[in-house]
Amino acid sequence: MIRYATPDDVPDILRLIRELADYERALHEVKATEEQLRERLFGDDPKVFAHVAEHEGRVVGFALWFLTFSTWNGTHGIYLEDLFVEPDVRGHGYGKALLTELTRIADDRGYERVEWAVLNWNEPAIGFYESLGARPQDEWTVYRLTGDALTKAARA
């Protein structure tokens, strides 16, 4: 079962975020708290959204996303920040169902794209995404300002 997340799902979402970070060899980088997630997902003016996958009444996967905007197309899109399904239930279609739900939302709302990033070494994820028809955007390189560089740029 795929559904919009509720405030009661926040502990499970954070648990799954930590599992994803561990899989991506970056558990030490997770700083998010339940309070932060609860406020960002369910506060007065949320800018990020989540769906969860349930298996036998237990949350086993999630998709966390937000809106983007294409100046060229003049339409919104969906950026999938994280998609994760517990390893013991992979192959049951939960990842595909979560991604399909986001594509339905995009299609229903007239958004023209759903996009995300995947680590270059994550061959299982790459194979999964390509099996759905997704294609890499190799002509673009992602840049990021964070930490001290962000602070320096902000104060320049």
Side-chain angles (χ1 to χ4, degrees), residues 5-81:
T6 69
D8 291 340
D9 295 318
V10 168
D12 286 316
I13 292 170
L14 183 56
R15 174 181 54 80
L16 292 168
I17 288 170
R18 291 177 193 269
E19 287 185 39
L20 172 61
D22 189 45
Y23 174 77
E24 292 182 350
R25 305 171 189 145
L27 180 58
H28 62 282
E29 294 181 32
V30 176
K31 297 176 186 173
T33 66
E34 286 184 23
E35 295 75 25
Q36 286 174 314
L37 290 175
R38 192 169 285 106
E39 176 61 29
R40 299 317 186 271
L41 288 164
F42 306 106
D44 291 337
D45 189 22
K47 303 283 192 271
V48 63
F49 312 94
H51 283 77
V52 295
E54 286 185 339
H55 177 79
E56 298 177 353
R58 183 172 68 91
V59 174
V60 296
F62 80 109
L64 196 133
W65 57 279
F66 55 88
L67 295 181
T68 61
F69 185 78
S70 169
T71 54
W72 290 12
N73 293 335
T75 63
H76 283 291
I78 288 176
Y79 189 87
L80 174 60
E81 179 66 21

Side-chain angles (χ1 to χ4, degrees), residues 99-133:
L99 196 49
T100 297
E101 183 61 21
L102 297 188
T103 61
R104 282 188 192 129
I105 291 168
D107 189 55
D108 289 349
R109 296 180 185 179
Y111 304 162
E112 294 190 15
R113 56 173 79 145
V114 175
E115 52 194 353
W116 59 91
V118 61
L119 291 166
N120 293 334
W121 58 260
N122 194 345
E123 290 296 327
I126 291 168
F128 167 67
Y129 295 139
E130 289 184 354
S131 76
L132 299 175

